[in-house]
Amino acid sequence: MSAVCRKAKLEDVEPLYQMIQGYAEKGIMLPRSKKVLERQIGEFVVAESEGQVIGCGSLCQLGSDLVEIRSLGISEGHKGQGIGSMLVDSLLEEARRRQLPKVMALTYEVSFFIKNGFSVVEKEIFPEKVWTDCIHCKKQHACDEIAVLKVLN
Ligand SMILES: CC(C)(COP(=O)(O)OP(=O)(O)OC[C@H]1O[C@@H](n2cnc3c(N)ncnc32)[C@H](O)[C@@H]1OP(=O)(O)O)[C@@H](O)C(=O)NCCC(=O)NCCS
C-alpha cells in the first residue's frame, strides 16, 4: 500500500478534524475546530492512501524566519512506514519555499524528529508568539513537551 503526500483541500476538513480530535483527546495534540481547519486548510498537507486520509501536518508561521510544525499525525495502522517523515519533508520543502529557515515543533516524539534532522533546544529561545496557542492547552502551566528545531540551509 503506497501513500502520497499532497496539499489539503476543503473536502479533507472532516477526516482532518477526526484525526486531530482523536489525538487531542489523548492529550498529544491541540484540538482544532472545523472552522479553524477550513480557515487554515492552505497550511495543511495530508498523506492519502486508497482514497483515505491517513496522515496530516501543518505549518504555522511564528516570525519573520520561524515556522512551527503543528498537527502532525499518522493514523493507527499506518505508523512506522515512513509516512510521517514524508509529511515532514514536504512541510520542510514548503518552509524553504516560503524562506522560513527555522522550523520548530513542540513534541513528545523526540526521536522521530531527531531522525528527521531536528535537534532538541531550550524552549526559552523562542519568542512569546510561540506560546499564544498554549492558552487552549489543559497542560499550559505544566508543559512537558520538548522543543525541537531544524535550521534549513
Ligand atoms: C510521530 C509520528 C508522526 C511519526 O510518524 P511515522 O509515519 O510513524 O514515522 P516514520 O515511519 O516516518 O518514522 C521515521 C523514523 O522514525 C522512527 N520513529 C517513528 N516513530 C517513532 C517513535 N515514536 N519513537 C522513535 N522512533 C520513531 C521510525 O522507526 C523511523 O526510523 P527508521 O527510518 O530508522 O526506520 C506518528 O508516530 C504519530 O502520528 N504519532 C502520534 C502523534 C504525534 O505525537 N505527533 C507529533 C506531534 S508534533
Side-chain angles (χ1 to χ4, degrees):
M1 187 175 36
S2 61
V4 293
C5 177
R6 61 166 173 79
K7 281 187 171 289
K9 305 180 277 200
L10 278 176
E11 300 92 279
D12 300 318
V13 164
E14 186 61 37
L16 279 174
Y17 175 77
Q18 297 300 339
M19 177 133 35
I20 294 168
Q21 193 58 25
Y23 281 121
E25 280 163 15
K26 292 182 188 156
I28 50 181
M29 244 182 231
L30 284 175
R32 304 278 170 220
S33 68
K34 290 185 195 176
K35 264 213 167 73
V36 164
L37 289 173
E38 277 168 23
R39 208 166 54 225
Q40 297 180 350
I41 198 74
E43 303 301 310
F44 276 79
V45 291
V46 296
E48 185 184 291
S49 175
E50 298 176 340
Q52 302 287 322
V53 172
I54 55 161
C56 62
S58 69
L59 287 182
C60 176
Q61 185 169 347
L62 297 168
S64 58
D65 63 353
L66 180 66
V67 67
E68 180 181 358
I69 291 184
R70 285 189 180 173
S71 308
L72 179 72
I74 304 299
S75 61
E76 299 300 339
H78 294 93
K79 290 182 183 171
Q81 299 170 24
I83 300 167
S85 301
M86 181 172 77
L87 288 175
V88 167
D89 280 350
S90 141
L91 293 169
L92 292 176
E93 198 44 54
E94 182 62 18
R96 194 172 277 119
R97 205 185 60 76
R98 296 185 193 180
Q99 298 186 319
L100 298 167
K102 293 184 189 163
V103 185
M104 60 88 68
L106 292 165
T107 189
Y108 298 110
E109 297 284 359
V110 177
S111 34
F112 166 78
F113 278 96
I114 287 175
K115 286 214 164 163
N116 282 285
F118 288 73
S119 306
V120 172
V121 290
E122 295 292 327
K123 289 179 191 161
E124 289 70 29
I125 70 169
F126 295 112
E128 197 72 354
K129 202 162 175 212
V130 170
W131 314 111
T132 50
D133 221 28
C134 301
I135 52 166
H136 305 297
C137 180
K138 288 183 208 135
K139 298 185 218 167
Q140 60 171 299
H141 298 301
C143 177
D144 52 358
E145 289 191 313
I146 309 289
V148 293
L149 175 71
K150 179 165 178 158
V151 181
L152 302 173
N153 44 37

